[in-house]
Amino acid sequence: MTAAIEIDGLSKVYTKRKSPPVIAVDDLSLSIPAGQIFGFLGSNGAGKTTTIKMACGLVLPTGGSVRLHGFDVQRQRGQAMRQIGAVLEGTRNVYWRLTAWQNLLYFGRIKGVTGQPLKERAERLLRELELWERRNDPVRDFSRGMQQKVAIACALVADPPIVLLDEPTLGLDVKAGRTVKRWVEQLARNEGKTVVLTTHQMDLAESLCDQVAIMSQGKLIANRPTGELLGLFRQEGYELRFRGKIEESVAARFEGFSPREENGHTILSGTISEHGRLYRLLEIAEIQGLELLGVAQADPNLEEIFVELLDRAGKGEHSPAHPMNGRLPHATIREVI
Amino acid sequence: MALAGTVVVNEIQKRFILLWAYKFNFFTQMFMIGFIFVGISFFMAGGQPNPEMLASGLVGYLVWFFALAAISDMSWGIREETQTGTLEQMYMSPLPTGVLMLGRSIASLFISILMVGMSAVVLVLALGVSLPITWTALPVFLLTMAGLYGFAFILGGATLVFKQVEALANMMQNVLLFLNGALLPVDRLPGWMEAFAKTLPTTQGIIVLRRVILDGQSLAQVWQDGSLVGLVINSAIYFVVGWFFFRWCENRARRLGALGQY
Ligand SMILES: Nc1ncnc2c1ncn2[C@@H]1O[C@H](COP(=O)(O)OP(=O)(O)O)[C@@H](O)[C@H]1O
Ligand SMILES: [Mg+2]
């Protein structure tokens, strides 16, 4: 089966007179299976938006290609565009002076849908997004969250199998963000759509995405199923709980672990990357006569992982990004990241 | 064909709604433009314009009115849509981009025809001039518009790539008003300026339109005296050059990531 999105050796270098070239996307390869919610994470300037826009045919790649359900965005533009709808970052995406209904009809026709099917589709979308009652109000009178919903509805009006959402919850209040999130979830789960979203809200990616790719400086520094990415680091974070206070000199023997006190206990937390380490640490504890209350795996969230990965990427610890799509056996994961 | 029709009707509908949303602006502008014409004509005729002069001026002025709209649609209009992201949404259409752009231009022309038509009626009635428009004028008018939109495409393309072309667009609107023969016939300009003026869009169109509308000449007549030939050549060059330049700029904008705001 062909992937919904197949990115192959994609790169983009922005060149402008009077300024040095910017490598926004650097030899990115990636394949996103159909029906997935895929998250692109990365700090500002990582190249997420550029990648999305290249998939939309709005930015011409310097090299490489994007295929949407097998259709090359450059060479088979028409068919490729039928595969996607997109809500882009930081802009209105729709006409604020038109009503929600007028926007849907206008963009529907632009996307090649007409007549009764268009009207039915528009009505369904507006009802599902709870905008039907206000379909005849100009979009400019809507709340930010509703405006974003209209933009999403317009992206979906031609019923494309792939939806690209660039920072869909940016600038939304918590409630609106939640509605958008629920809707995205429903799109993938009930309608089988492939949803690609970029965000720098880790909690959103964590709770929503099946797979997460982390970008940094145009490169992929991780690309794994969300659970696996979390699990990977869950193994590493440990907390050792001891009764009573521990002197600093003693705590220092637990290299790489930092102590904190909680309810009269001392908790040493740190990461363990090699199997035997835990046992050696417990040995030290025994020798020091500490009373062990428990050993727990700490639960890092995506945010911590993200920071950690960026850290490592910054130190040049990662090998060039290998888009393995999580197919690698566990033992070699470290090298992949 | 059906596709092109849908695109055109879709664009016209959108333009109407937007026009209505900005109706206050719109009517103020129409009034201003009409008022300026009356002012200028009286001024140039030393307070006593004769109907013949007014009619001749009006033909030129109305054509300039079209130029005003075409240029602003292609520069300010496109610039605004790069900022709102609606242009990017348009470029994500599976339909051929050329069809969409042509659709926009036809819609723009259609709206202009209504606007200018309304102003023309008001001015004709208010000033008591006669403007005996016949079907002969239609092909001449369309040729003039083809050249004008070609010219506007050049500004539109430049807008995509360079963004800041408002000043240039504004200047072109004024240059056209004074050099396209709307107010004073170009043959009264110094020789070098006349030559330059005749390379501009609409200048030749206005000349031929006056002959056809005001002097009642036939298409054959204006063809034989060479003025229609000049118009065909001028418009064809502008349209072809403008069109391909615009397409080239689209590509350049894609390379620069400039179809949207950045
Ligand atoms: N149109 C453009 N022209 C020049 N540089 C750009 C353009 N768009 C993005 N960039 C640069 O490319 C890099 C990646 O930007 P972007 O794709 O917007 O990243 P993200 O969406 O992850 O924040 C940044 O350094 C940004 O400054
Ligand atoms: Mg971005």
Side-chain angles (χ1 to χ4, degrees):
Chain A
M1 202 194 88
T2 52
I5 304 181
E6 192 79 57
I7 297 177
D8 187 24
L10 191 68
S11 48
K12 179 66 195 178
V13 182
Y14 289 110
T15 40
K16 268 193 194 143
R17 260 167 291 143
K18 284 188 276 179
S19 51
V22 177
I23 304 173
V25 175
D26 191 1
D27 195 19
L28 186 76
S29 295
L30 175 70
S31 132
I32 301 172
Q36 227 181 33
I37 303 182
F38 188 96
F40 262 116
L41 297 183
S43 30
N44 268 335
K48 305 179 297 290
T49 297
T50 302
T51 305
I52 295 279
K53 286 195 178 178
M54 285 194 281
C56 297
L58 296 171
V59 168
L60 217 57
T62 312
S65 65
V66 181
R67 287 172 168 277
L68 306 171
H69 283 292
F71 298 112
D72 189 297
V73 172
Q74 302 307 320
R75 294 198 197 88
Q76 297 156 287
R77 202 184 139 268
Q79 276 154 310
M81 290 303 109
R82 285 186 201 282
Q83 311 303 314
I84 52 164
V87 176
L88 297 170
E89 173 197 0
T91 53
R92 298 177 181 178
N93 289 286
V94 295
Y95 291 97
W96 277 14
R97 293 279 181 165
L98 301 192
T99 66
W101 179 248
Q102 289 162 344
N103 267 297
L104 276 161
L105 293 193
Y106 174 77
F107 284 109
R109 291 185 196 119
I110 282 276
K111 286 165 197 216
V113 194
T114 53
Q116 202 52 33
L118 173 59
K119 290 199 172 128
E120 279 164 19
R121 175 83 185 149
E123 174 169 351
R124 210 184 117 201
L125 283 167
L126 288 174
R127 282 192 193 281
E128 280 173 10
L129 285 167
E130 290 157 15
L131 291 167
W132 181 247
E133 304 300 318
R134 298 196 54 189
R135 65 188 177 282
N136 292 326
D137 291 354
V139 176
R140 68 198 276 254
D141 295 343
F142 286 1
S143 69
R144 181 74 196 86
M146 289 169 72
Q147 288 169 341
Q148 185 71 344
K149 285 202 277 184
V150 176
I152 295 178
C154 285
L156 287 165
V157 68
D159 207 8
I162 304 172
V163 190
L164 307 177
L165 306 170
D166 198 0
E167 307 273 2
T169 54
L170 193 73
L172 298 190
D173 58 33
V174 178
K175 188 162 158 277
R178 232 177 262 145
T179 322
V180 167
K181 189 188 141 199
R182 255 204 316 277
W183 169 253
V184 167
E185 218 154 20
Q186 192 234 314
L187 278 178
R189 308 293 174 244
N190 302 351
E191 300 193 29
K193 300 215 180 288
T194 310
V195 182
V196 176
L197 57 92
T198 75
T199 179
H200 47 250
Q201 275 176 288
M202 303 305 149
D203 52 335
L204 181 76
E206 190 176 335
S207 60
L208 195 55
C209 298
D210 300 312
Q211 174 115 357
V212 172
I214 301 181
M215 276 186 91
S216 167
Q217 297 175 3
K219 286 197 174 74
L220 218 54
I221 57 173
N223 176 23
R224 312 201 59 78
T226 315
E228 211 172 292
L229 197 64
L230 289 166
L232 186 60
F233 281 77
R234 188 169 292 131
Q235 284 186 322
E236 296 187 342
Y238 280 88
E239 287 187 352
L240 312 179
R241 183 179 286 262
F242 298 101
R243 188 181 301 283
K245 281 202 169 125
I246 299 182
E247 282 181 33
E248 246 176 69
S249 62
V250 175
R253 286 168 186 269
F254 295 81
E255 220 181 296
F257 277 66
S258 47
R260 70 166 193 276
E261 280 181 32
E262 213 179 270
N263 311 329
H265 303 318
T266 304
I267 295 165
L268 295 173
S269 56
T271 57
I272 296 176
S273 48
E274 160 238 350
H275 228 62
R277 180 91 204 279
L278 179 62
Y279 296 104
R280 287 198 295 280
L281 289 173
L282 294 179
E283 232 165 78
I284 298 173
E286 194 174 10
I287 293 168
Q288 295 295 329
L290 304 177
E291 190 181 341
L292 181 69
L293 293 175
V295 177
Q297 287 192 337
D299 257 6
N301 56 23
L302 259 185
E303 179 142 13
E304 285 166 35
I305 294 174
F306 179 59
V307 170
E308 166 82 18
L309 282 173
L310 285 183
D311 232 31
R312 288 188 202 172
K315 289 190 198 121
E317 277 176 32
H318 72 285
S319 46
H322 277 287
M324 294 299 182
N325 288 320
R327 278 185 230 113
L328 272 189
H330 239 77
T332 50
I333 286 167
R334 295 202 59 88
E335 291 154 34
V336 177
I337 293 174
Chain B
M1 215 36 219
L3 173 77
T6 311
V7 169
V8 171
V9 171
N10 198 31
E11 291 295 334
I12 290 178
Q13 264 184 19
K14 177 190 81 186
R15 289 294 304 265
F16 260 120
I17 300 164
L18 292 176
L19 199 66
W20 192 244
Y22 289 102
K23 52 188 170 300
F24 181 72
N25 263 359
F26 169 68
F27 285 113
T28 326
Q29 260 170 10
M30 295 248 300
F31 178 77
M32 276 283 296
I33 290 171
F35 194 74
I36 288 173
F37 175 72
V38 177
I40 291 178
S41 321
F42 273 78
F43 175 74
M44 294 192 36
Q48 294 175 326
N50 60 347
E52 225 164 88
M53 248 183 78
L54 274 179
S56 166
L58 191 55
V59 170
Y61 196 75
L62 292 177
V63 170
W64 178 69
F65 208 162
F66 280 101
L68 217 54
I71 289 173
S72 82
D73 280 354
M74 282 290 163
S75 52
W76 288 276
I78 284 188
R79 173 121 166 93
E80 191 187 339
E81 292 209 35
T82 58
Q83 283 164 345
T84 55
T86 44
L87 194 75
E88 284 183 315
Q89 288 294 339
M90 184 198 89
Y91 276 113
M92 285 175 57
S93 160
L95 310 180
T97 322
V99 172
L100 294 173
M101 261 345 272
L102 271 184
R104 281 191 168 223
S105 311
I106 294 171
S108 156
L109 180 60
F110 185 83
I111 298 281
S112 294
I113 290 175
L114 290 180
M115 269 169 32
V116 178
M118 271 159 50
S119 323
V121 169
V122 172
L123 286 171
V124 162
L125 292 179
L127 299 170
V129 295
S130 87
L131 218 51
I133 296 175
T134 59
W135 287 109
T136 321
L138 185 66
V140 180
F141 167 75
L142 289 178
L143 268 173
T144 309
M145 290 301 116
L148 172 62
Y149 274 85
F151 178 77
F153 279 138
I154 296 177
L155 287 173
T159 304
L160 282 181
V161 174
F162 302 111
K163 306 289 180 203
Q164 253 104 32
V165 296
E166 278 92 344
L168 178 68
N170 213 324
M171 186 185 84
M172 286 322 300
Q173 291 178 333
N174 293 324
V175 164
L176 281 184
L177 177 60
F178 292 106
L179 289 184
N180 74 354
L183 299 178
L184 47 153
V186 283
D187 50 22
R188 297 218 203 124
L189 294 170
W192 63 273
M193 216 189 252
E194 181 186 347
F196 171 68
K198 282 195 170 166
T199 65
L200 291 173
T202 67
T203 311
Q204 192 65 18
I206 290 173
I207 292 173
V208 184
L209 279 172
R210 283 192 180 129
R211 289 187 188 165
V212 171
I213 297 174
L214 302 177
D215 305 342
Q217 294 190 9
S218 68
L219 285 179
Q221 275 173 305
V222 284
W223 182 266
Q224 263 152 23
D225 71 16
S227 58
L228 183 56
V229 182
L231 175 61
V232 169
I233 293 170
N234 180 286
S235 287
I237 291 175
Y238 267 111
F239 192 82
V240 172
V241 169
W243 181 254
F244 285 102
F245 180 73
F246 187 84
R247 301 312 303 267
W248 180 83
C249 287
E250 274 178 355
N251 223 27
R252 181 104 194 96
R254 279 204 174 93
R255 223 171 276 282
L256 293 170
L259 288 178
Q261 69 173 169
Y262 167 67

